[in-house]
Amino acid sequence: MVSNNPICSPARATLLTGTYPNKNGVHCNVNSKSAVYGVELPANIVCWSDVLKEQGYSNGYIGKWHLDAPHQPYIPCKNNEGDIAWNEWTPFERRHGFDYWYSYGTYDYHDRPMYWDTKAPRDSFQFVNQWGPEHEADKAIDFFKNKGNVRNTSAPFSLVISINPPHEPYNTAPAKYHEPYNNIPIDSLVTDANIPPADTKMGDEYRKDVKNYYANITGVDAQIGRILQALKENKLLDNTIVLFTADHGNCLGKHNEHSKNNIYEESLRVPLLVYWKGRIKPCIDDELLISMPDIYPTLLDLAGYKKNIPATVDGKSYASYFLSRQGNKPSEQFILGALSYDQKQIKHSGFRSVRTKQYKLAYVTKKGGGLEPYLFNLQTDPFELNNIYRADHPMVKKLLPRLQYWLQKTGDRFAIP
């Protein structure tokens, strides 16, 4: 599984709409800088939650949304105090079929998060003195119990729990999640070949953050356990599809990259776990090269709404493969990112890539203009240390036409010489 546009807002828009940025309009992070160019999730695009709403579902959303453009006067909070404002309220008409709403735009103070409740107007947000993932798990459990009559218990439901961590700053998780790592020697966690050496900027950053990052993962994992247990205790687990994934990965300093939105595996690869009791056979699958737009049609197909999938969706359903381990599988994944805020400059910015099980071909815009090509053999060089690109390489000749086809199909004018 990959995040095909590995940064917060574009990945979320792709997941919700089943489309790439040329259709959903979210090609970069939603904030006050990109708002000038109209970057936010369109109110009239059909999300999978809109489809379920039409089928009588009771839909809930908890946590980070990050798809509505901030506007003046900006919400008075820390994420809006710098040169760029990030956090914004989502109007009722822009919630895409989610009836229960306990959310925020983007807010990175995880030990004192802020939320708008379903009926709260723009100026009525609240702060909570609890680590965000634990609080959001609490709210999810309340949703299952229907505390406060937040859902129609006679209707089927969907619930998104959009947990922010592991997201910087990484040092806010409660101490109990750090404890398993306190006595582990740092050298034992710095063994991958693509970690920069100590006494370099990114090498020191990795060593500073890696234990905290793992602590965040441990804390989030504990909340997933609580959520699953609550589904079971409320007799909801037997006929509920549970999906766990993420909007992007994180380099933490590997490849001298601070975070995400780059061509490397640490940025692109995300977890995908799907559970449906008695229907999806437990296994580990390393064959299905699934992409973020495929989640929308696959979930609707699994739920029995294949006929309701809009023709505009870019993704394909792999429901039959999930259920039987048989059927057609994609042979490649297409990736883009680091795009300019200005739509007129998108074709001259960022990177485009095609990834197979063994190879990754990528073209990255250089600061001074032009493109830097990359070809990695992911099986023999999993840390992507050796760029084996040459124009006459057999895999370049094979993959470049596929990438050019995808660019044309999605209306991307990114020019590869």
Side-chain angles (χ1 to χ4, degrees):
M1 175 70 177
V2 296
S3 178
N4 307 81
N5 196 335
I7 190 169
C8 305
S9 299
R12 292 160 192 275
T14 300
L15 183 65
L16 280 165
T17 68
T19 63
Y20 289 103
N22 68 302
K23 288 184 183 176
N24 64 50
V26 186
H27 59 269
C28 60
N29 264 342
V30 174
N31 54 41
S32 60
K33 188 174 180 181
S34 65
V36 177
Y37 301 99
V39 178
E40 64 178 352
L41 187 67
N44 62 351
I45 200 166
V46 180
C47 297
W48 58 258
S49 50
D50 293 310
V51 175
L52 291 183
K53 177 66 175 177
E54 288 182 356
Q55 300 304 316
Y57 271 63
S58 183
N59 299 324
Y61 197 99
I62 296 171
K64 182 176 177 178
W65 177 250
H66 201 181
L67 290 168
D68 285 283
H71 58 85
Q72 294 183 335
Y74 296 126
I75 301 298
C77 64
K78 290 184 179 180
N79 268 55
N80 289 351
E81 290 177 353
D83 295 334
I84 300 177
W86 293 85
N87 195 16
E88 184 53 73
W89 174 71
T90 299
F92 305 103
E93 66 275 11
R94 294 183 54 80
R95 295 178 185 177
H96 288 279
F98 289 107
D99 310 296
Y100 172 65
W101 190 262
Y102 191 82
S103 183
Y104 57 94
T106 183
Y107 193 71
D108 299 325
Y109 297 84
H110 315 305
D111 49 356
R112 192 172 183 265
M114 62 173 291
Y115 303 91
W116 281 271
D117 212 334
T118 303
K119 296 181 180 180
R122 187 172 186 258
D123 60 355
S124 294
F125 49 87
Q126 60 178 318
F127 292 92
V128 178
N129 292 315
Q130 185 181 11
W131 191 49
E134 290 184 338
H135 183 65
E136 288 155 22
D138 288 347
K139 301 300 289 188
I141 293 168
D142 288 345
F143 182 87
F144 301 146
K145 294 178 178 179
N146 200 26
K147 184 177 179 180
N149 295 315
V150 294
R151 66 182 177 91
N152 179 3
T153 55
S154 64
F157 74 86
S158 75
L159 177 65
V160 175
I161 308 150
S162 182
I163 295 173
N164 202 340
H167 186 290
E168 60 184 335
Y170 307 116
N171 60 355
T172 61
K176 60 184 176 182
Y177 302 124
H178 290 266
E179 288 175 2
Y181 306 100
N182 288 342
N183 296 322
I184 296 178
I186 190 66
D187 289 346
S188 69
L189 302 177
V190 190
T191 58
D192 290 349
N194 54 6
I195 302 172
D199 299 323
T200 63
K201 181 180 179 181
M202 289 293 105
D204 288 346
E205 183 170 306
Y206 187 91
R207 288 160 177 80
K208 173 178 67 72
D209 288 335
V210 63
K211 286 189 178 183
N212 291 336
Y213 194 79
Y214 288 166
N216 278 267
I217 293 173
T218 299
V220 171
D221 186 56
Q223 309 319 308
I224 302 303
R226 293 180 60 219
I227 290 165
L228 289 172
Q229 183 62 28
L231 280 169
K232 184 176 181 180
E233 290 175 355
N234 288 277
K235 301 186 180 345
L236 296 171
L237 188 58
D238 286 0
N239 195 34
T240 296
I241 301 170
V242 182
L243 184 144
F244 175 83
T245 190
D247 52 353
H248 55 75
N250 199 315
C251 286
L252 283 180
K254 289 183 174 184
H255 294 288
N256 287 305
E257 292 282 353
H258 171 70
S259 185
K260 65 266 187 184
N261 209 13
N262 57 66
I263 65 171
Y264 297 109
E265 292 289 277
E266 290 83 2
S267 172
L268 301 175
R269 291 288 300 277
V270 293
L272 177 66
L273 293 86
V274 185
Y275 174 87
W276 191 8
K277 185 177 179 180
R279 299 295 299 275
I280 295 178
K281 183 180 179 181
C283 72
I284 295 175
D285 187 291
D286 62 357
E287 297 292 330
L288 184 66
L289 294 173
I290 197 167
S291 293
M292 198 69 80
D294 302 325
I295 298 301
Y296 181 143
T298 299
L299 278 178
L300 288 186
D301 195 355
L302 286 171
Y305 302 113
K306 184 176 183 178
K307 294 182 179 180
N308 301 96
I309 300 169
T312 53
V313 166
D314 292 323
K316 295 182 179 180
S317 171
Y318 295 101
S320 60
Y321 183 85
F322 277 37
L323 296 172
S324 67
R325 324 306 310 161
Q326 297 177 352
N328 295 329
K329 301 187 295 291
S331 59
E332 62 223 352
Q333 297 157 318
F334 298 101
I335 299 153
L336 73 164
L339 305 180
S340 170
Y341 285 180
D342 185 350
Q343 289 92 332
K344 295 179 181 178
Q345 300 301 319
I346 289 176
K347 63 181 179 179
H348 302 301
S349 67
F351 57 85
R352 310 297 191 279
S353 176
V354 56
R355 181 185 182 277
T356 70
K357 187 175 180 182
Q358 185 171 357
Y359 288 95
K360 181 192 298 176
L361 174 66
Y363 296 86
V364 182
T365 304
K366 294 189 289 188
K367 289 184 178 180
L371 297 177
E372 185 74 34
Y374 294 85
L375 180 67
F376 296 112
N377 186 326
L378 300 175
Q379 290 187 358
T380 62
D381 179 28
F383 296 111
E384 299 173 283
L385 298 174
N386 302 305
N387 181 8
I388 59 173
Y389 177 89
R390 65 176 195 273
D392 63 347
H393 193 289
M395 291 310 301
V396 173
K397 291 184 176 181
K398 180 179 180 179
L399 294 178
L400 179 54
R402 294 299 302 156
L403 180 57
Q404 290 173 324
Y405 165 78
W406 178 75
L407 292 173
Q408 183 180 14
K409 183 179 178 181
T410 58
D412 190 333
R413 293 182 293 166
F414 187 78
I416 301 174

